[in-house]
Amino acid sequence: MILVTGATGTVGGEVVRLLAGRGERVLAMTREPAKVEESPGVEVVRGDFDDPASLAGAARGADALFLLSAPGPWAARHDEAMVAAARAEGVRKVVKVSAIGTGEEREGVTVGDWHLAGERALRSGELDWTILRPSSFASNALGWAPQVLRGQPVPNTMGDGRQGVVDPRDVAEVAVTALTSEEHVRAVLTLTGPELLSVPDMAKVLGETLGRTVETVEVPLEVYRESLIAAGVDPGFADIAVDGSRTVARGGNARLTGDVERVLGRAPRTFATWAADHRAAFVSG
Ligand SMILES: NC(=O)c1ccc[n+]([C@@H]2O[C@H](COP(=O)([O-])OP(=O)(O)OC[C@H]3O[C@@H](n4cnc5c(N)ncnc54)[C@H](OP(=O)(O)O)[C@@H]3O)[C@@H](O)[C@H]2O)c1
């Protein structure tokens, strides 16, 4: 039995589908079970990282755990609570989604450190673990849908900085391989797509998919920070988002690895493939 956290989200939802498709028994965790439909092989369980008793209940009977916490300063607390519950309930293996650059020295920039405590909790214990450190998700481009639908330029806070944009479906497939085999125990896998892309590069690919030009507009980092705070984002969180953009703009995340191909035995999906498969999000009607 495999407990999947973040089961209603982008990566976790795909992990649930892939595991169920392989005939695995899945416990899909959410804070709101009422909003999730049961499907064959999938049992929905209530769990909230802020409610330790609920985590113990969710982990009961599970052999393995897919651990995905929502990004933010609370991720450390959430990961530690979930790992403690997994240990107490006799879970044997944990596959955790972290982020590229976690724990690496980067000129005082704290990007990625939200996942450091969770990684440490796994490394310091006796559980089998696999840590996945993905690069920027292709699905972040869904945030551009409102501008694209209105024919407006999409915001760019990263200049010409390029990243190894990864399809979250590849992250899910690697996670499922690690959850269902003994091959990647105590491995840290850095998951990237096959090519380095800037925001203007991604906009160009998206435009080619849609059959029109998608422009970008540079947003100064102070304006970006103010817009996040105006949208209700915690100032500490906003600072980290701004640091992340600055790091990317300086080329600090221009990195490709072969880990997806090594695990899956095929090349990672391109951003063009992701865009073609998500075209509907960017066209009206
Ligand atoms: N986006 C990127 O470019 C990127 C790059 C590298 C790493 N990552 C990492 O990937 C993760 C995000 O993955 P994603 O995009 O698949 O997430 P997502 O689609 O935003 O989904 C977040 C999930 O977290 C669950 N959740 C939120 N708060 C919770 C709580 N208090 N207790 C239990 N569950 C909670 C939600 O479930 P319910 O609402 O149903 O409870 C939902 O299923 C983060 O850890 C992030 O740091 C992202």
Side-chain angles (χ1 to χ4, degrees):
M1 183 101 86
I2 301 175
L3 173 63
V4 177
T5 64
T8 58
T10 309
V11 179
E14 184 68 8
V15 168
V16 169
R17 273 188 293 281
L18 291 173
L19 286 172
R22 288 183 180 207
E24 300 285 348
R25 288 169 65 209
V26 180
L27 290 169
M29 189 175 106
T30 172
R31 288 166 297 177
E32 289 181 72
K35 73 179 183 190
V36 184
E37 275 185 38
E38 300 250 345
S39 51
V42 181
E43 188 184 328
V44 179
V45 285
R46 185 191 163 271
D48 185 333
F49 294 132
D50 283 317
D51 172 5
S54 74
L55 301 181
R60 203 150 297 147
D63 307 299
L65 164 69
F66 172 72
L67 175 56
L68 180 142
S69 44
W74 47 80
R77 189 178 80 237
H78 286 177
D79 281 350
E80 285 172 342
M82 191 68 242
V83 171
R87 254 190 207 122
E89 294 300 325
V91 171
R92 205 174 42 81
K93 176 193 279 190
V94 181
V95 175
K96 170 177 161 51
V97 174
S98 176
I100 195 166
T102 292
E104 293 173 5
E105 287 284 327
R106 288 216 251 160
E107 299 169 13
V109 170
T110 52
V111 183
D113 285 359
W114 290 332
H115 290 289
L116 204 51
E119 288 198 5
R120 285 190 179 135
L122 291 177
R123 286 165 185 273
S124 66
E126 68 297 337
L127 289 169
D128 285 349
W129 53 261
T130 307
I131 290 169
L132 309 181
R133 291 182 177 168
S135 188
S136 181
F137 290 177
S139 49
N140 294 344
L142 289 172
W144 300 341
Q147 287 90 349
V148 173
L149 285 165
R150 289 197 294 263
Q152 294 170 348
V154 300
N156 179 14
T157 60
M158 301 173 188
D160 291 326
R162 299 188 302 159
Q163 309 191 78
V165 177
V166 66
D167 190 316
R169 294 172 296 182
D170 285 347
V171 178
E173 210 171 315
V174 169
V176 165
T177 305
L179 285 163
T180 55
S181 77
E182 300 303 322
E183 277 171 51
H184 306 288
V185 173
R186 299 198 165 253
V188 179
L189 303 172
T190 298
L191 307 179
T192 72
E195 58 202 333
L196 290 174
L197 297 171
S198 65
V199 167
D201 293 335
M202 292 169 73
K204 184 164 180 285
V205 171
L206 184 58
E208 284 161 5
T209 304
L210 301 176
R212 62 184 178 80
T213 304
V214 174
E215 307 274 4
T216 62
V217 58
E218 298 263 347
V219 177
L221 289 181
E222 8 4 309
V223 175
Y224 176 42
R225 184 176 186 279
E226 279 161 23
S227 70
L228 290 173
I229 290 170
V233 170
D234 171 88
F237 191 133
D239 286 340
I240 289 175
V242 166
D243 277 346
S245 285
R246 190 178 293 118
T247 302
V248 173
R250 286 178 183 157
N253 195 26
R255 186 168 162 199
L256 296 179
T257 75
D259 285 358
V260 170
E261 180 147 13
R262 217 172 354 264
V263 174
L264 300 182
R266 60 155 177 85
R269 291 176 169 99
T270 61
F271 182 67
T273 297
W274 180 90
D277 292 345
H278 294 81
R279 191 178 184 283
F282 300 97
V283 293
S284 45

PDB file of all heavy atoms in Angstrom, residues 7 82 133 142 150 169 186 233 243:
ATOM      1  N   ALA A   7      -1.894  14.468  -3.276  1.00  0.00           N
ATOM      2  CA  ALA A   7      -2.559  13.606  -4.275  1.00  0.00           C
ATOM      3  C   ALA A   7      -3.536  14.359  -5.166  1.00  0.00           C
ATOM      4  O   ALA A   7      -3.909  13.861  -6.225  1.00  0.00           O
ATOM      5  CB  ALA A   7      -3.279  12.462  -3.563  1.00  0.00           C
ATOM      6  N   MET A  82       5.254  14.605   8.695  1.00  0.00           N
ATOM      7  CA  MET A  82       4.845  13.439   7.890  1.00  0.00           C
ATOM      8  C   MET A  82       5.854  12.307   8.027  1.00  0.00           C
ATOM      9  O   MET A  82       5.478  11.136   8.131  1.00  0.00           O
ATOM     10  CB  MET A  82       4.682  13.854   6.416  1.00  0.00           C
ATOM     11  CG  MET A  82       4.016  12.808   5.553  1.00  0.00           C
ATOM     12  SD  MET A  82       2.268  12.500   5.931  1.00  0.00           S
ATOM     13  CE  MET A  82       2.298  10.776   6.421  1.00  0.00           C
ATOM     14  N   ARG A 133      14.939  16.009  -6.829  1.00  0.00           N
ATOM     15  CA  ARG A 133      15.124  17.468  -6.850  1.00  0.00           C
ATOM     16  C   ARG A 133      14.837  17.969  -8.263  1.00  0.00           C
ATOM     17  O   ARG A 133      15.754  18.125  -9.083  1.00  0.00           O
ATOM     18  CB  ARG A 133      16.555  17.828  -6.457  1.00  0.00           C
ATOM     19  CG  ARG A 133      16.882  17.545  -4.991  1.00  0.00           C
ATOM     20  CD  ARG A 133      18.298  17.977  -4.731  1.00  0.00           C
ATOM     21  NE  ARG A 133      18.696  17.807  -3.341  1.00  0.00           N
ATOM     22  CZ  ARG A 133      19.947  17.903  -2.924  1.00  0.00           C
ATOM     23  NH1 ARG A 133      20.923  18.157  -3.793  1.00  0.00           N
ATOM     24  NH2 ARG A 133      20.240  17.751  -1.657  1.00  0.00           N
ATOM     25  N   LEU A 142       1.213  27.456 -16.774  1.00  0.00           N
ATOM     26  CA  LEU A 142      -0.258  27.593 -16.685  1.00  0.00           C
ATOM     27  C   LEU A 142      -0.631  28.933 -16.053  1.00  0.00           C
ATOM     28  O   LEU A 142      -1.718  29.464 -16.302  1.00  0.00           O
ATOM     29  CB  LEU A 142      -0.865  26.442 -15.878  1.00  0.00           C
ATOM     30  CG  LEU A 142      -0.842  25.062 -16.562  1.00  0.00           C
ATOM     31  CD1 LEU A 142      -1.289  23.977 -15.590  1.00  0.00           C
ATOM     32  CD2 LEU A 142      -1.731  25.064 -17.812  1.00  0.00           C
ATOM     33  N   ARG A 150      -6.043  36.673 -23.048  1.00  0.00           N
ATOM     34  CA  ARG A 150      -6.388  38.071 -23.366  1.00  0.00           C
ATOM     35  C   ARG A 150      -5.488  38.650 -24.458  1.00  0.00           C
ATOM     36  O   ARG A 150      -5.602  39.821 -24.786  1.00  0.00           O
ATOM     37  CB  ARG A 150      -6.266  38.935 -22.108  1.00  0.00           C
ATOM     38  CG  ARG A 150      -7.363  38.671 -21.066  1.00  0.00           C
ATOM     39  CD  ARG A 150      -7.454  39.807 -20.045  1.00  0.00           C
ATOM     40  NE  ARG A 150      -6.267  39.891 -19.221  1.00  0.00           N
ATOM     41  CZ  ARG A 150      -6.150  39.354 -18.007  1.00  0.00           C
ATOM     42  NH1 ARG A 150      -7.160  38.689 -17.476  1.00  0.00           N
ATOM     43  NH2 ARG A 150      -5.039  39.471 -17.322  1.00  0.00           N
ATOM     44  N   ARG A 169       4.974  15.450 -15.302  1.00  0.00           N
ATOM     45  CA  ARG A 169       4.620  14.035 -15.519  1.00  0.00           C
ATOM     46  C   ARG A 169       5.863  13.161 -15.472  1.00  0.00           C
ATOM     47  O   ARG A 169       5.793  11.999 -15.040  1.00  0.00           O
ATOM     48  CB  ARG A 169       3.894  13.879 -16.862  1.00  0.00           C
ATOM     49  CG  ARG A 169       2.544  14.580 -16.887  1.00  0.00           C
ATOM     50  CD  ARG A 169       1.936  14.566 -18.269  1.00  0.00           C
ATOM     51  NE  ARG A 169       2.756  15.321 -19.229  1.00  0.00           N
ATOM     52  CZ  ARG A 169       2.427  15.507 -20.513  1.00  0.00           C
ATOM     53  NH1 ARG A 169       1.298  14.999 -20.988  1.00  0.00           N
ATOM     54  NH2 ARG A 169       3.215  16.205 -21.313  1.00  0.00           N
ATOM     55  N   ARG A 186      18.361   5.578  -1.344  1.00  0.00           N
ATOM     56  CA  ARG A 186      19.437   6.486  -0.902  1.00  0.00           C
ATOM     57  C   ARG A 186      20.058   7.238  -2.080  1.00  0.00           C
ATOM     58  O   ARG A 186      21.251   7.537  -2.084  1.00  0.00           O
ATOM     59  CB  ARG A 186      20.509   5.744  -0.085  1.00  0.00           C
ATOM     60  CG  ARG A 186      19.909   5.140   1.154  1.00  0.00           C
ATOM     61  CD  ARG A 186      20.873   4.760   2.248  1.00  0.00           C
ATOM     62  NE  ARG A 186      20.090   4.545   3.474  1.00  0.00           N
ATOM     63  CZ  ARG A 186      20.075   5.365   4.504  1.00  0.00           C
ATOM     64  NH1 ARG A 186      20.822   6.436   4.502  1.00  0.00           N
ATOM     65  NH2 ARG A 186      19.311   5.128   5.548  1.00  0.00           N
ATOM     66  N   VAL A 233       0.694  37.278  -0.320  1.00  0.00           N
ATOM     67  CA  VAL A 233       1.815  36.375  -0.037  1.00  0.00           C
ATOM     68  C   VAL A 233       2.621  36.926   1.140  1.00  0.00           C
ATOM     69  O   VAL A 233       2.860  38.136   1.231  1.00  0.00           O
ATOM     70  CB  VAL A 233       2.697  36.245  -1.305  1.00  0.00           C
ATOM     71  CG1 VAL A 233       3.991  35.518  -1.008  1.00  0.00           C
ATOM     72  CG2 VAL A 233       1.922  35.546  -2.413  1.00  0.00           C
ATOM     73  N   ASP A 243      14.380  36.178  -4.754  1.00  0.00           N
ATOM     74  CA  ASP A 243      15.745  35.624  -4.798  1.00  0.00           C
ATOM     75  C   ASP A 243      15.846  34.551  -5.874  1.00  0.00           C
ATOM     76  O   ASP A 243      16.856  34.466  -6.586  1.00  0.00           O
ATOM     77  CB  ASP A 243      16.105  34.980  -3.448  1.00  0.00           C
ATOM     78  CG  ASP A 243      16.604  36.002  -2.438  1.00  0.00           C
ATOM     79  OD1 ASP A 243      16.927  37.128  -2.854  1.00  0.00           O
ATOM     80  OD2 ASP A 243      16.661  35.651  -1.244  1.00  0.00           O
TER      81      ASP A 243
END
